């Protein structure tokens, strides 16, 4: 048996299915005290734009039951500084780097992707068409299947790298968005980004976040995200999926794999527990070893009627 | 190096209802932490608060292996800390952020420390460092009323200089804001080599107007709501003068006031 944790998502093969989600893992380098970056399946960078971007005015975050709202506004150093300053250090750490990319306009996305083409050490590109916290671009592309299709097709033509499209749970019809992205050339779909939410301070009747609305993340959204992964996996069988939404424990990983995700991204939990991704890799390794199974065998089990894993004598229930 | 530490509550000191100190057994953090740094504290097994909270380390005893925090009860997490039985465990992620600078000051130099309410939190360790470096310090502690100033008990014997109290209602110490008490002394000719401050944003804004014209080099221990504490979420930004935003947790929390856009 080959490595039980290795997974293949179309053109992208990863050592294991535990990645970290864009916007929750900085540029990876903030986490080196807590995680061996080479030990996780991969990391998705903070969303990169053509020029450095300052982001939204504070307050930017607000805690909510079992989660948080954020409207950071895609603050980032810009693609040029990422390639010259961050990427060499990430390569030295042995990290599998997925560059998350966004823009205001179609051409901005294409320009950023082109700027990354010459850089070594990027395993894949993830298109953010689902950020709810900017006035232009972002979620506007993700919420309209025709716009999704046009954007993904343009970016597809601009890169030979594996192309991941990160879907918006706020889209009117997530399956249609997924289909549009896939038909336009996405190799992999990652889902879901944050849900648009709002919190108002009762004493002032003002939104708690300066942007007004924010993206909801954390365990609060997990059942919604699991349902969406299940739905897309069912509608588009064979399309590789990365599941995202409130993952913090091994049981959450197994849940998303069962729903049809081949890999997962840990998000908000990184803030609370910066070592969580590395720990999940270890726990998943132990789980597969104890049950003499592979991650690949765990993918999509909910669509096949479920049932206990391993079954062999001595396996835990 | 930052690490996630398991810590055991060993002591709680109540200054007045809702104002207290907690001391944890946490030897690795106690050895590593510097005055002005903070830790992200997690009360375990709770869905709310979901995120950790940033607390300035009030003092650390490397020999005893303990770290102490001064806390004001304001919500679920602080209430849990106020009620938590001794020997309970929490998680402490740290040490985080930068530290106050003291080492560059010559022996005999005089500094000022300005604290607004629970903003006194980071200063026991700094005061000990100041005394050890042979400096003198005047400690300005302000609060709304006498109850808020009850925390002064933690500073008994720690201040190598004058302690100046100020309360909004005049019940204890000088009447008015602590920043005004400082301004009066500066106006009367008192000079300080450096000022260290911690308190709410309105206090900082008022203080910036005092230290700026006085050309008094200052270190403000800023507070912004932090998601992670180590520069990953970018939630705790403060508008800056040299760039749009300063990330409070990783570039601070100690910032000089001229870098902040007031």
């Amino acid at each position: 048996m080959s490595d039980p944790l290795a997974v293949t998502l179309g053109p992208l093969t990863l050592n294991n299915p535990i990645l970290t989600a864009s916007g929750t893992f900085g540029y990876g380098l903030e986490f080196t005290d807590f995680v061996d970056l080479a030990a996780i399946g991969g990391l998705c960078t903070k969303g990169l734009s053509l020029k450095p971007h300052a982001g939204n005015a504070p307050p930017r975050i607000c805690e909510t039951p079992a989660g948080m709202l954020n409207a950071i506004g895609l603050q980032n150093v810009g693609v040029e500084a990422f390639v010259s300053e961050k990427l060499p250090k990430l390569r030295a750490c042995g990290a599998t780097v997925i560059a998350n990319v966004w823009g205001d306009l179609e051409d901005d996305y294409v320009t950023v992707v082109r700027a990354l083409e010459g850089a070594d050490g990027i395993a894949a590109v993830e298109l953010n068409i689902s950020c709810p916290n900017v006035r232009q671009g972002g979620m506007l592309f993700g919420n309209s299947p025709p716009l999704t299709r046009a954007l993904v097709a343009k970016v597809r033509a601009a890169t030979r790298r594996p192309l991941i499209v990160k879907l918006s749970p706020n889209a009117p019809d997530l399956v249609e968005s997924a289909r549009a992205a896939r038909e336009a050339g996405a190799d992999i779909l990652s889902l879901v980004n944050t849900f648009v939410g709002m919190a108002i301070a009762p004493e002032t009747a003002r939104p708690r976040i300066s942007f007004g609305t924010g993206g909801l993340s954390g365990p609060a959204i997990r059942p919604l995200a699991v349902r969406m992964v299940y739905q897309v996996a069912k509608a588009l069988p064979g399309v590789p999926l990365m599941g995202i939404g409130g993952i913090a424990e091994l049981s959450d990983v197994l849940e998303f794999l069962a729903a049809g995700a081949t890999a997962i991204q840990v998000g908000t939990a990184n803030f609370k527990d910066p070592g969580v991704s590395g720990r999940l890799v270890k726990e998943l390794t132990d789980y597969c070893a104890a049950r003499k199974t592979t991650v690949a065998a765990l993918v999509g089990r909910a669509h096949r009627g479920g049932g206990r894993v391993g079954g062999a004598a001595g396996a835990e229930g | 190096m930052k690490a996630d530490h398991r810590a055991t509550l060993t002591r709680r000191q109540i200054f007045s209802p809702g104002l207290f100190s907690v001391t944890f057994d946490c030897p690795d953090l106690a050895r590593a932490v510097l005055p002005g740094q903070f830790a992200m504290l997690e009360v375990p097994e709770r869905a709310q608060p979901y995120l950790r909270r940033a607390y300035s380390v009030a003092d650390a005893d490397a020999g005893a292996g303990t770290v102490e925090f001064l806390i004001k009860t304001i919500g679920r997490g602080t209430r849990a800390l106020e009620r938590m039985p001794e020997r309970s465990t929490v998680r402490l992620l740290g040490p985080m952020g930068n530290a106050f600078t003291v080492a560059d000051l010559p022996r005999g130099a005089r500094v000022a420390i300005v604290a607004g309410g629970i903003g006194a939190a980071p200063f026991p360790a700094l005061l000990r460092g100041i005394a050890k470096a042979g400096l003198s310090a005047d400690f300005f502690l302000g609060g709304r009323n006498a109850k808020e100033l009850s925390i002064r008990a933690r500073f008994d014997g720690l201040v190598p200089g004058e302690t100046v109290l100020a309360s909004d209602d005049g019940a204890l110490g000088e009447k008015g804001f602590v920043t005004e008490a400082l301004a009066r002394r500066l106006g009367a000719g008192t000079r300080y080599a450096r000022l260290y401050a911690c308190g709410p944003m309105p206090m900082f804004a008022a203080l910036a107007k005092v230290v700026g014209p006085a050309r008094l080099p200052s270190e403000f221990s800023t507070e912004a709501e932090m998601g992670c504490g180590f520069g990953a979420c970018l939630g705790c930004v403060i508008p800056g003068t040299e760039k749009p935003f300063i990330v409070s947790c990783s570039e601070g929390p100690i910032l000089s006031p001229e870098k902040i856009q007031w």
Side-chain angles (χ1 to χ4, degrees):
Chain A
M1 188 161 67
S2 58
D3 186 342
L5 257 68
V7 288
T8 300
L9 300 97
L12 180 67
T13 296
L14 301 170
N15 290 339
N16 66 67
I18 310 293
L19 294 89
T20 54
S22 179
T24 69
F25 208 64
Y27 301 98
L29 303 167
E30 296 86 343
F31 284 79
T32 50
D33 281 350
F34 310 110
V35 184
D36 173 6
L37 298 183
I40 57 176
L43 66 90
C44 300
T45 65
K46 183 81 192 149
L48 302 170
S49 51
L50 190 55
K51 301 280 176 220
H53 192 72
N56 295 332
R60 291 175 166 186
I61 60 170
C62 149
E63 189 174 74
T64 57
M68 65 186 284
L69 286 170
N70 89 80
I72 305 300
L74 295 173
Q75 176 178 340
N76 78 100
V77 297
V79 67
E80 198 177 303
F82 171 76
V83 169
S84 63
E85 292 163 26
K86 311 285 186 186
L87 191 55
K89 293 178 190 161
L90 286 169
R91 294 189 70 194
C93 293
T96 298
V97 178
I98 294 172
N100 184 285
V101 164
W102 70 281
D104 289 340
L105 307 168
E106 271 184 11
D107 286 345
D108 298 340
Y109 282 87
V110 172
T111 314
V112 178
V113 168
R114 287 228 174 92
L116 291 167
E117 278 298 282
D120 289 327
I122 293 172
V125 169
E126 181 178 54
L127 282 199
N128 179 354
I129 58 165
S130 44
C131 178
N133 300 327
V134 285
R135 304 271 177 220
Q136 286 187 295
M139 191 170 78
L140 290 180
F141 289 105
N143 283 359
S144 154
L147 291 181
T148 300
R149 194 181 299 269
L151 174 68
V152 173
K154 268 197 162 177
V155 173
R156 174 72 288 174
T159 181
R160 284 167 300 174
R161 290 208 166 99
L163 180 61
I164 306 167
V165 174
K166 186 167 180 178
L167 300 174
S168 166
N170 306 296
D173 184 337
L174 184 67
V175 169
E176 277 317 298
S177 300
R179 201 186 307 278
R182 175 63 172 180
E183 287 175 1
D187 296 306
I188 301 162
L189 304 175
S190 57
L191 63 161
V192 292
N193 207 317
T194 57
F195 290 75
V196 178
M198 193 173 195
I200 298 172
E203 57 274 21
T204 62
R206 290 210 182 99
R208 289 194 188 275
I209 296 183
S210 72
F211 193 71
T213 57
L216 180 66
S217 64
I221 70 164
R222 192 189 308 132
L224 297 165
V226 170
R227 183 262 294 176
M228 288 174 156
V229 168
Y230 184 91
Q231 252 179 343
V232 171
K234 187 165 185 175
L236 303 174
V239 176
L241 305 180
M242 290 188 184
I244 321 165
I247 296 170
E249 312 274 346
L250 177 65
S251 56
D252 308 337
V253 176
L254 299 173
E255 193 178 1
F256 274 90
L257 295 177
T262 301
I264 62 91
Q265 298 179 9
V266 182
T268 304
N270 290 310
F271 296 151
K272 182 184 168 86
D273 182 2
V276 60
S277 55
R279 198 182 67 233
L280 288 175
V281 172
K282 286 196 193 80
E283 291 179 2
L284 187 59
T285 305
D286 293 347
Y287 181 89
C288 288
R291 285 163 184 75
K292 299 184 170 48
T293 188
T294 64
V295 170
L298 298 171
V299 174
R301 292 176 60 246
H303 296 273
R304 304 193 292 270
R308 289 192 177 282
V309 178
E316 285 172 42
Chain B
M1 179 167 143
K2 302 181 194 89
D4 195 1
H5 307 277
R6 190 168 179 273
T8 307
L9 181 66
T10 56
R11 181 164 182 262
R12 180 168 27 227
Q13 184 184 2
I14 312 272
F15 303 107
S16 60
L19 210 50
F20 61 99
S21 112
V22 279
T23 300
F24 294 94
D25 219 13
C26 193
D28 291 344
L29 182 60
R31 269 192 296 276
V33 72
L34 300 168
Q37 287 189 300
F38 65 98
M40 298 295 288
L41 185 148
E42 182 184 19
V43 183
E45 310 300 335
R46 292 174 71 94
Q48 207 173 4
Y50 178 70
L51 298 169
R52 297 190 192 218
R53 288 291 184 276
Y55 293 102
S56 287
V57 172
D59 208 353
D61 184 332
T66 57
V67 289
E68 181 193 4
F69 303 91
L70 299 184
I71 293 170
K72 179 181 179 181
T73 304
I74 51 166
R76 284 184 175 88
T78 43
R79 209 172 302 130
L81 284 170
E82 191 176 10
R83 294 175 183 166
M84 182 181 281
E86 280 189 20
R87 309 310 301 169
S88 299
T89 58
V90 301
R91 298 205 68 90
L92 294 174
L93 193 63
M96 303 302 212
N98 59 359
F100 293 117
T101 49
V102 173
D104 57 320
L105 294 173
R107 282 188 80 82
R110 186 178 188 185
V111 301
I113 295 178
V114 177
I118 194 59
F123 293 129
L126 178 67
L127 279 161
R128 285 199 307 107
I130 281 170
K132 205 171 149 194
L135 314 178
S136 66
D138 293 342
F139 180 49
F140 295 80
L141 175 63
R144 272 194 287 264
N145 46 44
K147 178 184 171 287
E148 275 198 2
L149 293 172
S150 61
I151 203 165
R152 71 187 184 281
R154 180 61 185 83
F155 295 87
D156 284 350
L158 274 185
V159 181
E162 189 189 359
T163 297
V164 179
L165 301 177
S167 53
D168 297 2
D169 60 4
L172 197 62
E174 301 178 18
K175 184 172 164 58
F177 293 132
V178 69
T179 48
E180 296 162 353
L182 171 76
R184 281 192 287 275
R185 276 160 185 76
L186 293 176
T190 306
R191 290 292 169 263
Y192 297 106
R194 185 168 294 155
L195 176 138
Y196 307 90
C198 183
M201 273 317 221
M203 184 197 93
F204 280 137
L207 196 54
K209 292 194 183 117
V210 175
V211 299
R215 297 178 189 280
L216 170 48
S218 299
E219 299 188 356
F220 286 8
S221 176
T222 57
E223 187 189 27
E225 195 170 332
M226 293 176 186
C228 67
F230 50 93
C233 78
L234 305 180
C236 63
V237 295
I238 296 174
T241 51
E242 293 169 1
K243 53 182 177 173
F245 298 113
I246 305 164
V247 182
S248 170
C249 70
S250 55
E251 297 177 61
I254 320 291
L255 299 171
S256 86
E258 61 268 24
K259 293 198 172 163
I260 298 170
Q261 184 69 57
W262 298 102

